[in-house]
């Protein structure tokens, strides 16, 4: 049973302590059997799982990523809520690169898939037999007028959990705010961890209640979306919670401008009948989730679809045109929620299909769109949203605990304590499979 697998004692799962390979001297034109673009959660996880797969012979993997630090981004909500310190949410990139995998600190500028090559800003051309594209997406703080200026000013009462540079200010602002209008925004369009904009809102509300100032603060959730959440089951529960806790819902309102001096936030009304009307709201506290988009060098490449994401089959993760190219995580066109949890189900599918292609076979492993959003709704409360393609719930604990739209303290501690530990010790080492726990799932579709 999946739930049992998740809760098995950690002592039964081996922790891998390995030496890392960091390239200090880069060949003029390096070639590798598998090149992975991106050293975030998706790139490191798929590298680790592939490296320890017995069927993958002649192991030769390189990761391209200019970053020197690897971040556990789901932990930024915990930092912004005052539950964890930022120092626990990042480690040197060299410490998470799997043993035997080379890391080139190179910045990709262009893909040349017809010639199995990648051009970099540093002038180094890297070639490959197989390519995995997993660079994540861009958080576009410049996409909201005045936002960058506001975030640089601690006195502005504007903050965001969507950057390691701004997340600690969120908790300071929550602690200091005692009275007035508080606005929490969510942009229109695709973002990573679509539950995070309201996680921080619910945690702020809970803290203000603890501090005895909740009645002095009017809270607004201003979202570019038409509902609280994209999955109907959880959206209904969250809408009931919003009304019960007296939070204003400003739906289909997309933040376009911040005036930190006059403390005014300007929104574009996206409702069809509004004709793009602008709406101004005064704030005393403002938490902003910036708009997000594919990296330009991905969007302008031959690998991208019309929207700019890496164009892959939603079941196999294989590129629709270039059969030796795969993608997973936030950069891919997979039409699911962009979360770390989704990668736990995408990675084993990608690896099975990559190995099949290497053997000259058709890819048969199938990804069902699984994603999860551990949605904090207050101290000691969490709604564990799990779902697959089509907004269909796919809940790990439902048979034991009942529907997961009901918040539980157990789920809260999974998010706060269990998942961060698992991430550093099992997830990025290739030994964590989400709902299947420490055991690799069977990703081949069952015959009818």
């Amino acid at each position: 049973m999946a739930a049992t697998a998740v809760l098995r004692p950690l002592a039964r799962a081996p922790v891998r302590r390995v030496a890392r390979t960091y390239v200090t001297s880069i060949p003029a034109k390096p070639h590798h059997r598998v090149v992975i673009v991106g050293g975030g959660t998706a790139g490191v996880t798929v590298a680790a799982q592939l490296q320890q797969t017995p069927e993958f012979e002649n192991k030769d993997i390189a990761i391209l990523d200019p970053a020197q630090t690897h971040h556990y981004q789901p932990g930024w909500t915990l930092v912004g809520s005052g539950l964890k310190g930022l120092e626990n949410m990042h480690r040197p990139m060299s410490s998470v690169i799997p043993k035997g995998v080379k890391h080139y600190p190179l910045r990709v500028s262009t893909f040349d898939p017809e010639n199995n090559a990648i051009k970099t800003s540093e002038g180094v051309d890297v070639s490959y037999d197989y390519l995995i594209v997993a660079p994540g997406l861009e958080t576009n703080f410049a996409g909201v007028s005045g936002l960058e200026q506001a975030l640089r000013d601690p006195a502005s009462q504007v903050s965001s959990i969507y950057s390691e540079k701004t997340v600690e200010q969120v908790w300071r602002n929550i602690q200091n705010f005692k009275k007035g209008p508080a606005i929490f925004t969510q942009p229109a369009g695709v973002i990573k961890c679509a539950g995070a904009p309201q996680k921080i809102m619910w945690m702020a509300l809970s803290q203000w209640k603890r501090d005895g100032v909740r009645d002095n603060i009017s809270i607004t959730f201003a979202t570019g979306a038409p509902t609280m959440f994209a999955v109907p089951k959880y959206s209904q529960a969250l809408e009931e919670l919003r009304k019960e806790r007296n939070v204003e819902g400003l739906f289909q309102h997309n933040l376009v401008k911040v005036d930190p001096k006059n403390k005014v936030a300007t929104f574009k009304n996206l409702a069809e009948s509004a004709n793009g009307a602008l709406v101004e709201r005064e704030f005393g506290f403002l938490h902003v989730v910036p708009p997000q988009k594919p990296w330009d060098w991905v969007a302008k490449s031959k690998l991208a679809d019309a929207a700019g994401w890496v164009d892959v089959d939603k079941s196999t993760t294989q590129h629709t045109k270039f059969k030796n190219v795969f993608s997973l995580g936030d950069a891919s066109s997979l039409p699911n929620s962009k979360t770390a949890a989704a990668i736990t189900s995408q990675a084993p599918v990608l690896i099975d299909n990559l190995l099949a292609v290497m053997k000259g076979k058709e890819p048969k492993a199938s990804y069902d769109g699984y994603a999860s959003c551990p949605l904090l709704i207050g101290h000691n409360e969490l709604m564990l949203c799990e779902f697959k393609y089509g907004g269909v719930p796919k809940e790990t604990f439902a048979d034991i605990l009942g529907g997961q739209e009901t918040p539980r303290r157990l789920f809260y501690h999974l998010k706060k304590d269990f998942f961060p530990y698992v991430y550093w010790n099992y997830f990025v080492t290739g030994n964590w499979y989400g709902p299947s726990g420490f055991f690799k799932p069977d990703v081949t579709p069952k015959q009818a």
Side-chain angles (χ1 to χ4, degrees), residues 64 238 302 366:
L64 273 59
L238 289 164
K302 295 179 180 179
S366 181

Side-chain angles (χ1 to χ4, degrees), residues 205 208-209 211-219 245-247:
L205 186 155
W208 289 329
K209 189 174 181 180
D211 293 342
V213 298
R214 168 65 182 97
D215 291 343
N216 301 327
I217 299 171
S218 60
I219 301 177
R245 296 186 179 179
N246 194 27
V247 172

Side-chain angles (χ1 to χ4, degrees), residues 179-362:
K179 182 179 181 180
I183 301 176
F184 296 80
T185 76
Q186 176 170 334
V190 174
I191 64 170
K192 54 185 171 184
C193 194
Q198 58 181 298
K199 290 179 192 179
I200 193 63
M201 176 186 73
W202 296 124
M203 290 306 298
L205 186 155
S206 181
Q207 186 62 45
W208 289 329
K209 189 174 181 180
R210 284 184 166 194
D211 293 342
V213 298
R214 168 65 182 97
D215 291 343
N216 301 327
I217 299 171
S218 60
I219 301 177
T220 298
F221 183 52
T223 171
T227 59
M228 289 294 289
F229 200 73
V231 178
K233 176 180 181 177
Y234 305 121
S235 185
Q236 180 180 347
L238 289 164
E239 177 66 8
E240 292 172 2
L241 193 69
R242 181 187 70 77
K243 293 176 180 178
E244 176 187 314
R245 296 186 179 179
N246 194 27
V247 172
E248 179 191 14
L250 198 61
F251 297 104
Q252 291 185 285
H253 279 65
N254 194 45
L255 182 69
V256 294
K257 182 180 179 181
V258 176
D259 180 349
K261 181 179 179 181
N262 296 303
K263 287 192 162 41
V264 172
T266 302
F267 298 87
K268 183 178 181 180
N269 189 335
L270 303 179
E272 197 171 326
S273 58
N275 296 317
L278 297 180
V279 177
E280 292 187 346
R281 285 292 190 98
E282 294 183 354
F283 65 86
F285 174 105
L286 178 64
H287 179 270
V288 178
V289 176
Q292 292 155 49
K293 63 188 184 73
W295 294 105
D296 285 346
W297 47 271
V298 173
K300 295 176 181 177
S301 76
K302 295 179 180 179
L303 299 179
D305 64 9
W309 309 107
V310 182
D311 192 7
V312 295
D313 181 275
K314 74 173 189 176
S315 298
T316 67
T317 75
Q318 184 184 41
H319 196 273
T320 56
K321 180 179 179 182
F322 302 101
K323 303 308 179 184
N324 64 334
V325 176
F326 292 78
S327 182
L328 77 167
D330 296 349
S332 75
S333 65
L334 297 169
N336 68 324
S337 182
K338 296 183 182 295
T339 67
I343 293 164
T344 66
S345 291
Q346 293 168 8
V349 170
L350 186 153
I351 288 171
D352 274 21
N353 287 331
L354 173 60
L355 292 172
V357 171
M358 286 178 173
K359 296 173 184 176
K361 299 179 180 179
E362 287 296 314

Side-chain angles (χ1 to χ4, degrees), residues 39-314:
T41 301
V44 169
T45 299
V46 79
Q49 289 187 17
L50 184 59
Q51 185 74 352
Q52 63 196 31
T53 300
E55 293 85 355
F56 180 54
E57 300 174 351
N58 304 319
K59 300 183 188 303
D60 178 20
I61 305 172
I63 291 176
L64 273 59
D65 194 314
Q68 299 300 312
T69 304
H70 181 100
H71 298 278
Y72 175 53
Q73 295 185 32
W76 290 346
T77 307
L78 301 175
V79 176
S81 303
L83 301 176
K84 296 283 186 181
L86 183 60
E87 69 276 5
N88 301 311
M89 302 305 161
H90 57 81
R91 291 188 180 177
M93 182 69 80
S94 59
S95 72
V96 299
I97 299 295
K99 181 182 179 181
V101 173
K102 291 183 172 60
H103 172 214
Y104 295 132
L106 300 173
R107 192 179 304 273
V108 174
S109 59
T110 309
F111 292 101
D112 183 7
E114 285 95 345
N115 294 301
N116 296 335
I118 298 168
K119 295 185 183 299
T120 68
S121 300
E122 293 80 4
V124 178
D125 291 351
V126 182
S127 59
Y128 57 82
D129 295 330
Y130 302 93
L131 174 66
I132 299 173
V133 186
L137 52 69
E138 181 181 2
T139 47
N140 183 24
F141 287 96
V144 175
S145 177
L147 177 57
E148 291 178 308
Q149 175 191 349
L151 290 172
R152 286 194 293 266
D153 179 7
S156 71
Q157 286 296 307
V158 179
S159 58
S160 178
I161 60 169
Y162 271 72
S163 169
E164 76 280 7
K165 298 176 182 178
T166 61
V167 64
E168 291 179 301
Q169 187 63 37
V170 178
W171 176 234
R172 288 192 287 267
N173 287 2
I174 290 173
Q175 291 176 293
N176 293 333
F177 194 60
K178 306 298 180 184
K179 182 179 181 180
I183 301 176
F184 296 80
T185 76
Q186 176 170 334
V190 174
I191 64 170
K192 54 185 171 184
C193 194
Q198 58 181 298
K199 290 179 192 179
I200 193 63
M201 176 186 73
W202 296 124
M203 290 306 298
L205 186 155
S206 181
Q207 186 62 45
W208 289 329
K209 189 174 181 180
R210 284 184 166 194
D211 293 342
V213 298
R214 168 65 182 97
D215 291 343
N216 301 327
I217 299 171
S218 60
I219 301 177
T220 298
F221 183 52
T223 171
T227 59
M228 289 294 289
F229 200 73
V231 178
K233 176 180 181 177
Y234 305 121
S235 185
Q236 180 180 347
L238 289 164
E239 177 66 8
E240 292 172 2
L241 193 69
R242 181 187 70 77
K243 293 176 180 178
E244 176 187 314
R245 296 186 179 179
N246 194 27
V247 172
E248 179 191 14
L250 198 61
F251 297 104
Q252 291 185 285
H253 279 65
N254 194 45
L255 182 69
V256 294
K257 182 180 179 181
V258 176
D259 180 349
K261 181 179 179 181
N262 296 303
K263 287 192 162 41
V264 172
T266 302
F267 298 87
K268 183 178 181 180
N269 189 335
L270 303 179
E272 197 171 326
S273 58
N275 296 317
L278 297 180
V279 177
E280 292 187 346
R281 285 292 190 98
E282 294 183 354
F283 65 86
F285 174 105
L286 178 64
H287 179 270
V288 178
V289 176
Q292 292 155 49
K293 63 188 184 73
W295 294 105
D296 285 346
W297 47 271
V298 173
K300 295 176 181 177
S301 76
K302 295 179 180 179
L303 299 179
D305 64 9
W309 309 107
V310 182
D311 192 7
V312 295
D313 181 275
K314 74 173 189 176

